[in-house]
Structure formats: C-alpha cells, structure tokens
Amino acid sequence: MSTLSAVAQPAVITVDELNARLDRLLPEIAAGAAQRERERQLPYEAVAQLAKAGVFTARIPTRFGGAGGSVRDVIALLIRIASADSNVAQALRPGFGFVEGLLASKAEGADAERERWFARYLHGAVVGNAGWEIGGANGSVSARIVREGDHYRASGSKYYSTGSLYADWVSAVALDENEQPVSFILPRDRQGLELLDDFDAMGQRLTASGTTHLRNVLVKADEIRTRTVEEGKRTIVTPFLQVFLAAVNAGIARNALNDAVSFATTHARPIKHSTATRSVDDPYVELSVGDVSARAFTAEAVVLRAAESIDRAWVAGLDSVAVDQAAVDVAQAQYVAAESALKAAELVFDVGGASTTGRAHNLDRHWRNARTVSNHNPRHWKAAAVGAWQLKGTPPPTSGLF
C-alpha cells in the first residue's frame, strides 16, 4: 500500500502529530519530485494527502478542532514540505492564506464563517486562488460580477491561479456595477468555472498557477465574502503570505543540500588530479556541500525568525506598529532567503563534473524554482524598504507585497 494513502488520523491534532504525519508522507513525495517536474505530472495525490493529513489545520484554534499552532509552527512545516517538493508547498499557499484571513477577520458574521470553513479544512478541503489578472496595471481587476435575482453572475479571466487545479474551492474577486471589488468563493465543479494547466514559467511548473476562466458563472449569495482589507492599511495576512514565499525558498535550499549530498555520495567521482579516492573525501566537494549547507541553514533561520515576528504581532493584538515591524522582518527574511536559495542551487553543480547536468538528475530545477519564487516580488524593493525603515522609520508600502 502507498504511504500516501496510509495516514492514520488520531482524534486530537497537535503540531507534533502533524510533524509525525509529514515524517510518513514526505519521503515518498520527495522521491517522485524530480520526475514529476521533468514530465509535468501534477502532484494531485500529494496535495490531497497533505490536506487529509491535516496540514491546513495547524493554525486552526483547538476549540475548532485544530492544532492551535503558531505562525512559526506553520512555517516550519512548510519548509519541510518545500524541501521535499517546492511545487507542492507553494500550491498550499492560498489555503493557508485563507486560514489566516479567517483568523484575522473582524467582519460581521466572521465567527460563523470561521466555524464553517474550519470544519471543511478538518475534513481535508483544499482552497485555491484566482485573484490576479494580466493585461492591465499590476493588481488591477477587470473581471465583473452582476446581480441576477437573488444571486450573481461572474465573468472574466484570471492568471496565477495558484493551487486551483488541486482545490475543492476557488476564491476570486471581481468588480461590481459600482466598480467596487467583490470577493467570492466557488466550488471547484461549478459550471462555467474553467481551470487550465497553462502556467509556462521556467520553474515551479507544477503549482497549477495557470488561467482561470469565469464564464458567466453562478455565484450564490452566501458565496460572497465580506472584504476586510482597507485601502492604505496593512493586514497581518500580507506578511504571512510573504514569509510563505520565503519559506518555499528555504525549502528549496534544503532540497538542494539533500541532492548535493546524495549526488556526492552515490554518483560523483573525484576529478582526475584529486588526491582523494572517493568524492566525499575531496576537500573541494566537502567545501561545496558545506557552503550549500550553510546557505540552507541561514535561509531557514531567518525565515523562522520572521515568522516569530508575525507571532509577536498577534500577541500585541495586531497593533499597527507590531504589524509594520513584522512586515520589515519578513522583507529582510525574503531578501536573504532568496539569495541563499539561488546560491545554494548554483553550488549543487560543484559537487560533481559534467554528469551533474544530466537531465535524469534534473538538478537545475532547484535554481529555476528559486528564481521563479524570488521573482514574485523583486527582492531589491525588499531591501530598499528595510533601508527606509532603518534610516527614517518609514513603514513599508501597503501594496499587498509587504
């Protein structure tokens, strides 16, 4: 029997138990990652089994049946998942972000919405996203939603629909007759909701981040969600979504280390003029692996520290100063994690000769994946925002990227 389908679920979920479940699931997920990426085999089973194993419940409060974990707990879990397959980890981002939004919401009816959605997560539900569009200004929305009797109809096209092909529910946003954004969430099988696997980036190819078409799709009144984002005000969910990307990079660096060690011990031969008889005894191979290890260690450390800053903001009651500090700390972590992952992915090729470039090994996926994740938000803007904070006390922009 596949380990992916043999995950027992005890009655009480804890962070420790979630980590134990990952111990059982991740080896098989990692074993197939390189081949899946090379052959474009979408990891439907891996995402579904992680959801059924309860990873999305890590932050759900214990009174709702979740593990009641901290942001740091969640990010540590995500680094582990990303170190097995960064595509799978990033595909989970909308689902985790949705949980954070539920936790932070103070809207009318928020308690009922939390109870409804947390119960769905406890039963293994997966939430995807279809918010971003292309062809207009960054962040602009052209999709439309109009009232039709007691319900609505939505039309338009979205891109960067991360994780939606794996999802049971897809969240989206469109403009109403008054040009105001309206958020809604639809079941994956709703007629008129079309999801395409056409994401063509060089890396993170299996995140299912392609096009979503809304073809006059029915949106029921109870599928409309209250928007809680205020113009010019930062929400704690944004730093969380940004540290999530940094966690994916930290996992990529760790994955690069795993492959560097594996290649050096099972495939590499010492160069002809080396004094070593085994590759693992060559001092330059040792240096390369040590360098990769240090960068993976650094990426993980800064990401976990940034996650702790978000936790402190929660403890402070989401005070605006604490939230701004969390945004700054996350920006620093993103900058360092991106640099670390990119360099670690480059150095993998120093543990062997030309054979490291063989397509069968697919070692270039680490750099391609890190480069793609890092390009979500230009990292130089992150450093500049931190510099402005240090020099003048200027908070980072409230653009949705800090």
Side-chain angles (χ1 to χ4, degrees):
M1 178 182 292
S2 168
T3 58
L4 289 178
S5 57
V7 181
Q9 298 210 35
V12 179
I13 298 175
T14 65
V15 173
D16 286 343
E17 175 57 31
L18 290 176
N19 272 297
R21 295 177 187 181
L22 290 188
D23 288 342
R24 298 191 288 271
L25 288 171
L26 292 184
E28 186 171 338
I29 291 175
Q35 180 178 347
R36 283 195 301 270
E37 201 261 11
R38 190 171 59 248
E39 299 178 1
R40 201 178 183 89
Q41 299 172 352
L42 298 180
Y44 288 103
E45 185 181 9
V47 172
Q49 291 299 326
L50 286 169
K52 291 176 182 177
V55 292
F56 287 118
T57 70
R59 283 276 287 152
I60 293 177
T62 55
R63 69 180 182 276
F64 292 103
S70 64
V71 172
R72 188 189 191 281
D73 290 330
V74 169
I75 295 303
L77 289 169
L78 290 168
I79 292 173
R80 292 194 62 194
I81 296 170
S83 70
D85 188 331
S86 63
N87 288 273
V88 171
Q90 191 171 346
L92 306 179
R93 186 172 178 243
F96 276 103
F98 194 79
V99 171
E100 290 300 305
L102 291 169
L103 292 172
S105 177
K106 297 180 181 178
E108 183 178 350
D111 286 338
E113 188 176 38
R114 277 189 280 267
E115 188 168 345
R116 179 169 63 254
W117 279 101
F118 289 163
R120 288 170 176 166
Y121 274 117
L122 287 166
H123 285 89
V126 179
V127 173
N129 174 63
W132 293 98
E133 300 180 13
I134 57 175
N138 195 343
S140 66
V141 175
S142 63
R144 314 298 299 197
I145 185 167
V146 297
R147 182 176 286 277
E148 182 181 87
D150 294 333
H151 301 297
Y152 301 83
R153 290 281 176 178
S155 299
S157 294
K158 303 289 185 175
Y159 201 57
Y160 302 124
S161 307
T162 302
S164 289
L165 283 171
Y166 309 122
D168 303 295
W169 300 85
V170 178
S171 63
V173 61
L175 299 179
D176 65 13
E177 295 95 327
N178 300 313
E179 303 298 315
Q180 295 302 305
V182 175
S183 296
F184 52 95
I185 187 162
L186 303 172
R188 168 66 179 84
D189 59 356
R190 177 66 52 80
Q191 184 177 358
L193 180 63
E194 181 183 6
L195 306 175
L196 304 180
D197 178 29
D198 61 349
F199 186 53
D200 64 351
M202 67 178 181
Q204 295 297 90
R205 296 169 173 171
L206 307 183
T207 55
S209 297
T211 302
T212 296
H213 293 303
L214 303 168
R215 302 192 186 281
N216 196 35
V217 64
L218 171 68
V219 181
K220 297 179 181 178
D222 61 1
E223 293 165 346
I224 300 292
R225 304 191 64 241
T226 302
R227 288 179 65 84
T228 58
V229 178
E230 298 179 29
E231 189 68 28
K233 184 176 180 181
R234 193 184 324 282
T235 167
I236 194 63
V237 180
T238 303
F240 175 85
L241 290 172
Q242 296 303 310
V243 82
F244 195 112
L245 292 174
V248 173
N249 261 333
I252 291 170
R254 177 64 59 179
N255 203 352
L257 172 62
N258 294 340
D259 273 357
V261 170
S262 176
F263 194 92
T265 55
T266 62
H267 293 287
R269 297 177 298 171
I271 196 168
K272 188 174 183 180
H273 55 263
S274 173
T275 58
T277 58
R278 301 185 308 162
S279 182
V280 293
D281 296 324
D282 188 304
Y284 292 104
V285 173
E286 292 174 335
L287 172 64
S288 297
V289 171
D291 198 339
V292 173
S293 181
R295 294 174 193 279
F297 182 88
T298 300
E300 183 170 347
V302 298
V303 169
L304 292 176
R305 181 165 178 178
E308 291 168 358
S309 185
I310 298 177
D311 283 325
R312 286 192 293 273
W314 276 100
V315 171
L318 301 184
D319 169 78
S320 61
V321 174
V323 174
D324 282 347
Q325 182 65 63
V328 169
D329 292 342
V330 169
Q332 296 182 97
Q334 284 185 286
Y335 188 84
V336 173
E339 295 279 1
S340 299
L342 288 166
K343 192 62 178 179
E346 175 191 338
L347 291 169
V348 169
F349 295 94
D350 287 342
V351 303
S355 59
T356 58
T357 65
R359 292 300 301 137
H361 302 300
N362 201 18
L363 296 179
D364 60 303
R365 76 186 189 282
H366 300 308
W367 188 90
R368 290 186 287 99
N369 290 341
R371 181 70 272 175
T372 302
V373 173
S374 301
N375 269 50
H376 277 65
N377 313 141
R379 66 186 188 278
H380 297 102
W381 275 94
K382 302 291 181 176
V386 172
W389 172 271
Q390 295 289 358
L391 291 169
K392 297 168 287 188
T394 304
T398 54
S399 62
L401 301 180
F402 288 88

